[in-house]
Amino acid sequence: MWTDEQRQRIVLEHQVLQQEGFTQFTVYHDKASDTYYASGWAVSAAGYRYALHISIPSGFPYERPPMYITDPLPLLMRDGNKLSALGVSHYMHTLAPSPNGMVQICHWRDNRWHSGILLYKVFLKGLLWIEAYEQHVATGRNLSEFVGTMAETA
Amino acid sequence: MSTNDPQQQMIRDAMQAIAQRKPGKTKLVYNKTKRTIEAVAEGTQIPRALNITADDADMFAVVTLASAWLREQWPHVLREGGVLCAFSTWDDGDALTQRELGSLPSTTIVQGSILLAGRDFASEGIGFRVLLNPIAKVGTDPAEFVAPDGSAYRATAFRILDESEMPISTVFADVQPELATRRSGILETTILADKSVLFIGLGTGGAHAALELAKCGVGRFALVDRDRLSVGNVVRHPGGISQVGRYKVNVVRDLIHEKNPDAKVSTHPFDLSYANKEELKHLVTEADLVICGTDNRASKLLVNQLCIEANVPAVYGGAFRRAYGGRVLRVRPKTSPCYQCIVSAMPEEESNVEVSSASDAADIAYSDQPVAVEPGLSLDVLPIANMVAKLALSELLIGKPTTLRVLDRDYDAPWYLWLNRPETGTPYADWPPLSESTDEMTINRWYGIYFDRDSDCPTCGDFISSLAANYGLDLNDLDALPAALPSAPEAVPTKD
């Protein structure tokens, strides 16, 4: 399933995460299913904890890896409704949620993703999204008012 | 009226002579006194008569027969004395074209018969018949046919009306030799007959490029596109309104066969995604060249990856939003910049795509922020498709002795840019018109632009080594990844 180049890239991604100071995140190998994922706990400036999970697809790095917030679940908006109910939302920077309602963060869209983007940049966008989310909870304003259009370059 | 009536026979002879633009013993005139057409001997002067010319004779119907088909049927013709065949009728019966000649017949089909003179062949109820009369020597008459056994015939066709017969001009079409003759002198068609081109994306640009290469004599096509032709497509796509609802791959296949009947075309109406990667990979490895006309980056990157891996050259074409211009990239794996190199170098330029359909818009829209469908005009897309086809032709001729070798010099840049108007809000808004400048970049010129390949490109370069070196890591001494956590969320999909 995985090429040697893909496996090498994924191992390198873990090392880069550590060197770039994203030591709260780890790339894991599930040997039973021979799949990879990256996850860890992000702590916001306000001290709240969020579990971020990146599923590494079989086409990685050419295929965009989706990133979900797995905890808290469900993730609520200021009005108490589930954020996942919005689906693909420009105003909240979300993509299609997982079947059980985990919010998928819009880091790069498919039409912007390319294989030169490293996972630590994806986690960085996740951290920015969380800060914007907390601003939304505090003010009721959309996430898009706190994070602009995602930067193109990796 | 009997067909043996002398006047009828004269009319028949005169009509055939005129239709074949050959002098005959009789001529046709319109007798203004009698207000009828009549046949008279050449040289005869009739008062108040109008000579009927060859141009006037174009009103007579023409029946076109497929030589190759008749050669295949020849044993049957010899055995039975004739053969039945179907004809497309066009323009109120002005033209009858044997159905086997092409893949897009008329909606009106009539049955006819082709029979050997002097032989009995049952053809009751048939609308017209073609009589094959043996001749001793073959000339240049388009009504002549040479059978597989070397015997030669001249065909005369008659439409059967009640008890009379109306002559129809006959033309035998030997499709492939005639098409090859038209291409010879500029293209060595045998070179391209064995070439295989994989087309991914058969919108306006891809379909047009496919037809241009079919006209050049490319012999093998593989077509990939998930979409069906819609009414909205028709204003730009080569497919017409009568084709609406069909898969674009099937529409384009038939159009290719209309231009190159011997072309071998396989169709693959599937979605271009990682789910179909293996099937796509197989198609790429079978191709001499890949032409990618999709409008989204993800699919282009997938095609790019597969082409680099399989060492197959590719040409990528695309229009900017509303087709105010476009660009074309030719990739020679490991030699010239690949699509990923260009994306890394010019990410914004490569994000500027034409949104020509609802599905294109849906790919980049959010549920709370739709993206408008803003297709460009066909006339603004076709120059880009022409450039794609020209670069493809140049690529397919590499290493072959051809008079078009000069293209190597003219098309040596990897990336081409063209603007057809100074679109407001773009970096090209201030470009001068073509007529005002010879030194600056202007509207309405193609520019070949040179890029160096990114040696650290994740797709065509050594990204891994470069990344490891940047972080001081030894690729041979990397720690193994930790095993998966027991608490890893199982509900998270591995793919979105």
Side-chain angles (χ1 to χ4, degrees):
Chain A
M1 177 185 177
W2 302 93
T3 65
D4 290 344
E5 193 175 7
Q6 281 182 299
R7 291 188 192 276
Q8 208 166 34
R9 167 76 181 256
I10 293 168
V11 172
L12 267 178
E13 291 277 6
H14 173 75
Q15 298 293 340
V16 172
L17 272 173
Q18 309 314 305
Q19 288 208 21
E20 290 288 354
F22 290 77
T23 53
Q24 71 274 44
F25 302 112
T26 304
V27 181
Y28 296 98
H29 183 205
D30 185 341
K31 291 184 178 174
S33 61
D34 196 16
T35 56
Y36 294 91
Y37 65 91
S39 69
W41 286 93
V43 180
S44 71
Y48 294 102
R49 284 162 53 87
Y50 301 82
L52 290 179
H53 181 102
I54 295 176
S55 303
I56 298 182
S58 61
F60 182 81
Y62 304 103
E63 191 175 5
R64 182 183 62 81
M67 176 165 59
Y68 298 89
I69 294 185
T70 58
D71 193 347
L73 184 67
L75 194 63
L76 303 179
M77 293 187 288
R78 178 184 167 87
D79 62 8
N81 290 320
K82 292 177 183 176
L83 182 52
S84 60
L86 295 179
V88 182
S89 168
H90 173 76
Y91 296 113
M92 300 303 274
H93 278 297
T94 59
L95 296 175
S98 72
N100 65 340
M102 294 175 185
V103 168
Q104 184 185 168
I105 295 173
C106 178
H107 52 89
W108 271 273
R109 302 207 61 181
D110 282 341
N111 65 325
R112 294 269 173 164
W113 175 262
H114 62 79
S115 56
I117 300 171
L118 298 172
L119 284 185
Y120 85 88
K121 288 292 183 74
V122 177
F123 275 121
L124 178 61
K125 283 190 185 288
L127 295 176
L128 288 168
W129 187 94
I130 287 169
E131 294 301 328
Y133 165 75
E134 292 193 351
Q135 292 298 322
H136 157 75
V137 173
T139 66
R141 291 157 65 186
N142 291 328
L143 257 77
S144 58
E145 295 188 36
F146 302 104
V147 284
T149 302
M150 294 290 185
E152 169 66 23
T153 51
Chain B
M1 183 180 291
S2 165
T3 55
N4 294 324
D5 181 280
Q7 176 58 206
Q8 280 300 304
Q9 184 64 51
M10 286 179 70
I11 289 176
R12 187 181 311 147
D13 292 343
M15 289 172 83
Q16 286 180 341
I18 289 174
Q20 293 167 13
R21 285 170 160 73
K22 287 184 171 180
K25 294 177 182 174
T26 56
K27 66 177 181 180
L28 285 184
V29 297
Y30 174 70
N31 188 323
K32 295 179 180 178
T33 305
K34 296 181 180 175
R35 288 185 290 185
T36 59
I37 287 175
E38 61 185 37
V40 297
E42 271 293 349
T44 305
Q45 297 297 321
I46 307 279
R48 289 181 51 76
L50 180 69
N51 283 332
I52 293 177
T53 67
D55 287 341
D56 298 323
D58 281 345
M59 64 188 287
F60 300 129
V62 172
V63 57
T64 305
L65 301 161
S67 303
W69 179 87
L70 190 54
R71 283 195 289 270
E72 285 177 12
Q73 299 294 320
W74 197 246
H76 177 87
V77 173
L78 290 178
R79 189 171 60 247
E80 303 293 333
V83 63
L84 297 175
C85 53
F87 290 81
S88 289
T89 68
W90 306 99
D91 309 323
D92 290 332
D94 177 64
L96 296 122
T97 308
Q98 192 172 345
R99 185 173 178 167
E100 283 76 9
L101 207 58
S103 53
L104 294 176
S106 163
T107 54
T108 307
I109 301 294
V110 297
Q111 292 297 317
S113 61
I114 302 172
L115 55 152
L116 290 169
R119 294 278 302 271
D120 292 330
F121 182 70
S123 54
E124 288 82 10
I126 294 299
F128 72 97
R129 60 192 174 100
V130 179
L131 195 62
L132 296 175
N133 296 288
I135 54 176
K137 189 178 174 185
V138 178
T140 56
D141 188 340
E144 291 171 353
F145 169 75
V146 179
D149 57 14
S151 56
Y153 300 83
R154 179 174 293 120
T156 49
F158 300 93
R159 178 172 287 147
I160 301 162
L161 300 169
D162 299 327
E163 294 184 355
S164 66
E165 291 182 333
M166 180 81 170
I168 310 173
S169 296
T170 309
V171 173
F172 278 101
D174 222 352
V175 177
Q176 270 310 326
E178 288 182 28
L179 292 180
T181 299
R182 293 300 175 101
R183 287 190 290 259
S184 67
I186 188 69
L187 261 181
E188 295 72 10
T189 54
T190 52
I191 292 173
L192 296 176
D194 291 337
K195 288 294 182 182
S196 175
V197 181
L198 168 61
F199 280 83
I200 299 171
L202 288 159
T204 305
H208 182 78
L211 295 182
E212 288 307 309
L213 290 187
K215 292 179 206 171
C216 289
V218 169
R220 293 161 59 205
F221 295 82
L223 310 177
V224 176
D225 195 307
R226 68 179 175 185
D227 290 340
R228 292 175 183 273
L229 191 70
S230 69
V231 173
N233 294 146
V234 169
V235 292
R236 307 185 337 147
H237 198 275
I241 198 77
S242 57
Q243 308 292 314
V244 163
R246 301 181 69 198
Y247 281 116
K248 287 179 179 174
V249 290
N250 293 339
V251 171
V252 175
R253 175 199 59 202
D254 290 349
L255 292 173
I256 286 172
H257 280 145
E258 282 286 291
K259 296 296 179 186
N260 188 354
D262 279 358
K264 294 179 172 54
V265 186
S266 64
T267 54
H268 310 274
F270 61 70
D271 195 13
L272 190 63
S273 69
Y274 280 89
N276 297 314
K277 182 182 170 188
E278 289 307 312
E279 191 171 355
L280 194 60
K281 185 177 181 179
H282 173 72
L283 293 173
V284 168
T285 55
E286 295 280 301
D288 294 306
L289 176 74
V290 173
I291 292 181
C292 183
T294 65
D295 279 335
N296 69 81
R297 178 186 291 185
S299 60
K300 285 183 177 175
L301 284 173
L302 172 58
V303 172
N304 183 58
Q305 176 200 349
L306 295 176
C307 289
I308 297 294
E309 287 175 359
N311 197 32
V312 174
V315 179
Y316 301 80
F320 295 132
R321 199 169 182 87
R322 289 166 22 91
Y324 65 79
R327 71 287 209 204
V328 180
L329 170 70
R330 180 201 45 223
V331 178
R332 292 170 176 158
K334 309 282 186 178
T335 301
S336 70
C338 77
Y339 183 68
Q340 171 68 52
C341 296
I342 298 294
V343 166
S344 298
M346 299 185 298
E348 288 302 328
E349 199 85 40
E350 284 305 318
S351 294
N352 183 347
V353 296
E354 185 193 25
V355 183
S356 60
S357 69
S359 64
D360 285 348
D363 284 343
I364 57 175
Y366 296 84
S367 55
D368 50 15
Q369 183 165 305
V371 170
V373 178
E374 293 183 297
L377 293 173
S378 174
L379 65 88
D380 288 336
V381 174
L382 297 197
I384 303 163
N386 276 341
M387 180 57 100
V388 167
K390 197 71 182 256
L391 283 169
L393 179 65
S394 166
E395 205 63 22
L396 291 168
L397 291 172
I398 281 181
K400 306 289 184 186
T402 169
T403 50
L404 290 182
R405 193 67 296 130
V406 68
L407 291 179
D408 294 349
R409 185 201 66 183
D410 295 334
Y411 294 92
D412 63 341
W415 199 75
Y416 297 83
L417 175 69
W418 172 77
L419 284 306
N420 61 61
R421 59 179 182 265
E423 185 85 344
T424 305
T426 73
Y428 315 106
D430 296 328
W431 278 27
L434 182 63
S435 58
E436 286 188 8
S437 177
T438 54
D439 299 328
E440 300 171 275
M441 294 178 86
T442 71
I443 300 300
N444 271 326
R445 272 199 191 123
W446 275 102
Y447 290 96
I449 297 172
Y450 292 88
F451 285 92
D452 287 330
R453 190 166 74 89
D454 179 4
S455 59
D456 297 334
C457 172
T459 304
C460 73
D462 194 359
F463 182 80
I464 299 282
S465 296
S466 172
L467 183 64
N470 286 343
Y471 284 91
L473 297 167
D474 181 353
L475 285 173
N476 298 315
D477 190 27
L478 293 173
D479 294 335
L481 291 176
L485 296 171
S487 58
E490 294 178 0
V492 178
T494 55
K495 291 175 70 175
D496 60 337

